Amino acid sequence: MNPFFSVIIPLFNKENEIKSTLESVLSQTFQDFEVIVIDDGSTDNGKKIVEDFNNSKIKLISTRNNGVSKARNIGIEEAKGALIAFLDADDFWFENHLQLLSELFIKYPNAGILATNYEIFYNKNKTIKPYFIDIPKENWSGVVTDFFKSSMVNRIAWTSAIAIPKKALAKVGNFDENITLGAGEDTDLWIRMALEFEVAFNNQITVRYNLGAENRISLTKTLTRSFAKLDQFGAQETENPSLKKYLDLYRTQYALKHKLAGDVKTFNFYKNQINSENITWKIKMLFMLPVFILKILFVIKKYSEHKNFLFSIYD
């Protein structure tokens, strides 16, 4: 008999985190699941740590290093569950995570994204709770009225906090393997899913997003990554102001990353697609600054985060 959930975990050089991540899955109160770990060409001891679990629920697949999109797609193809739950190898589930997702699925069977809330863990002294526009802060679950508007401050669909019906993936498609190294492959898929299906959300926190973990993909150098172009949504964004503003937020991030990296052509590609009414005066100022000043501000921002002082240029 097939499991209810297939839990897909891409693994690349996360030997310091994968043990606690897997333990958080195996400790779930809802136990009808399989775990598919795709070792994406790791060069550390992570693969052996997975093997040492010696648990019948865990299937380990080893591949050469193809990137996270390919790794997740391999997991999707191998999955036997009706629901695909994603988990990064350095994140953590609280024990009720799959239980709440299963309840969402039963209540909202037509949803394409089933999501729970999460906390963002920087270090032992700094953990923050996300804020979602037009979503009650406590004790709420339901269908999100405007997914893109609600995700403008923090994202409702966070990879380690969601499940997708396999039949929905069959209709919309899997992760775009042309987008590499965590440069928007998840964002691209969630947009496609939200344009096609309802998004169901429970605002109870069941996931820890471990931003302080070593070797996070998001820290990889910009010029080694292939970013989501986002231009495939051109027709939809002309008719959906919330989607347009949401896409412009990501275009802003990608533009600034490429400006910092000295890639003027790609900086202008993203910048020229942005509606100036959708960005703050802070961003407009950063777009105009010389690169050397931008780099100084970036270092100051990182130092401030290290000292647990967080601020955003997007509000």
Side-chain angles (χ1 to χ4, degrees):
M1 186 173 179
N2 290 337
F4 193 83
F5 284 100
S6 291
V7 180
I8 295 176
I9 304 176
L11 174 65
F12 179 72
N13 290 353
K14 296 291 175 64
E15 64 177 8
N16 293 329
E17 293 87 18
I18 186 59
K19 184 175 186 291
S20 62
T21 297
L22 279 174
E23 287 174 344
S24 78
V25 177
L26 297 175
S27 299
Q28 292 295 298
T29 57
F30 188 98
Q31 282 284 307
D32 188 7
F33 61 82
E34 65 175 349
V35 184
I36 304 172
V37 180
I38 304 92
D39 178 53
D40 190 33
S42 294
T43 57
D44 65 1
N45 200 41
K47 178 180 175 181
K48 184 179 185 305
I49 292 171
V50 176
E51 291 171 338
D52 287 346
F53 272 83
N54 193 27
N55 189 299
S56 61
K57 286 183 177 290
I58 300 174
K59 179 177 182 179
L60 176 64
I61 300 172
S62 296
T63 70
R64 63 185 178 87
N65 184 236
N66 295 303
V68 67
S69 295
K70 178 67 174 179
R72 289 188 183 130
N73 286 345
I74 289 172
I76 291 168
E77 295 305 316
E78 291 288 329
K80 296 180 175 63
L83 289 180
I84 310 293
F86 299 100
L87 178 60
D88 286 347
D90 46 14
D91 290 338
F92 181 92
W93 284 349
F94 299 116
E95 65 179 11
N96 61 340
H97 178 65
L98 291 182
Q99 180 65 47
L100 289 190
L101 286 177
S102 69
E103 292 170 4
L104 273 179
F105 180 65
I106 291 169
K107 193 171 183 180
Y108 306 104
N110 295 321
I113 296 177
L114 306 158
T116 60
N117 203 350
Y118 54 92
E119 63 181 24
I120 305 172
F121 178 83
Y122 287 86
N123 55 58
K124 63 181 181 180
N125 297 316
K126 189 68 176 181
T127 300
I128 66 172
K129 295 180 180 180
Y131 169 71
F132 308 107
I133 297 171
D134 292 341
I135 299 293
K137 291 183 178 180
E138 295 180 358
N139 301 322
W140 183 87
S141 67
V143 172
V144 178
T145 303
D146 188 334
F147 171 80
F148 303 109
K149 179 182 178 182
S150 291
S151 298
M152 283 299 299
V153 178
N154 293 109
R155 315 297 175 256
I156 282 179
W158 199 266
T159 306
S160 292
I162 72 168
I164 305 288
K166 194 169 184 182
K167 64 180 182 180
L169 286 166
K171 183 173 183 179
V172 171
N174 294 346
F175 291 95
D176 185 344
E177 294 176 17
N178 294 314
I179 306 169
T180 62
L181 295 172
E185 77 291 329
D186 47 359
T187 300
D188 167 77
L189 180 53
W190 311 154
I191 292 171
R192 286 186 276 131
M193 200 65 67
L195 288 171
E196 188 70 32
F197 296 99
E198 294 177 337
V199 176
F201 181 64
N202 186 314
N203 66 1
Q204 184 172 340
I205 291 175
T206 66
V207 178
R208 174 173 291 169
Y209 167 46
N210 189 11
L211 195 60
E214 298 178 37
N215 189 39
R216 286 210 72 94
I217 291 173
S218 60
L219 302 179
T220 307
K221 291 183 179 179
T222 296
L223 298 183
T224 65
R225 305 161 75 186
S226 179
F227 282 73
K229 298 299 184 184
L230 304 176
D231 50 358
Q232 71 270 37
F233 302 111
Q236 293 99 324
E237 66 183 305
T238 59
E239 301 174 355
N240 187 331
S242 294
L243 172 61
K244 170 61 176 171
K245 191 170 183 179
Y246 182 78
L247 292 173
D248 284 352
L249 174 66
Y250 279 97
R251 289 177 177 127
T252 296
Q253 295 176 4
Y254 298 165
L256 289 173
K257 286 179 184 294
H258 284 89
K259 182 172 182 176
L260 278 165
D263 184 347
V264 176
K265 181 180 178 180
T266 307
F267 164 69
N268 285 324
F269 169 80
Y270 288 112
K271 177 177 177 291
N272 292 339
Q273 296 182 65
I274 297 170
N275 182 339
S276 62
E277 295 180 0
N278 287 339
I279 58 177
T280 66
W281 65 268
K282 298 178 189 177
I283 294 170
K284 293 174 183 176
M285 179 187 70
L286 293 176
F287 279 167
M288 293 186 293
L289 289 176
V291 173
F292 79 94
I293 295 179
L294 201 61
K295 288 182 176 179
I296 293 171
L297 292 175
F298 180 77
V299 171
I300 293 172
K301 181 176 185 294
K302 287 299 179 183
Y303 178 79
S304 299
E305 290 176 354
H306 180 69
K307 294 297 183 180
N308 296 324
F309 177 70
L310 308 177
F311 61 90
S312 173
I313 63 171
Y314 303 107
D315 52 30

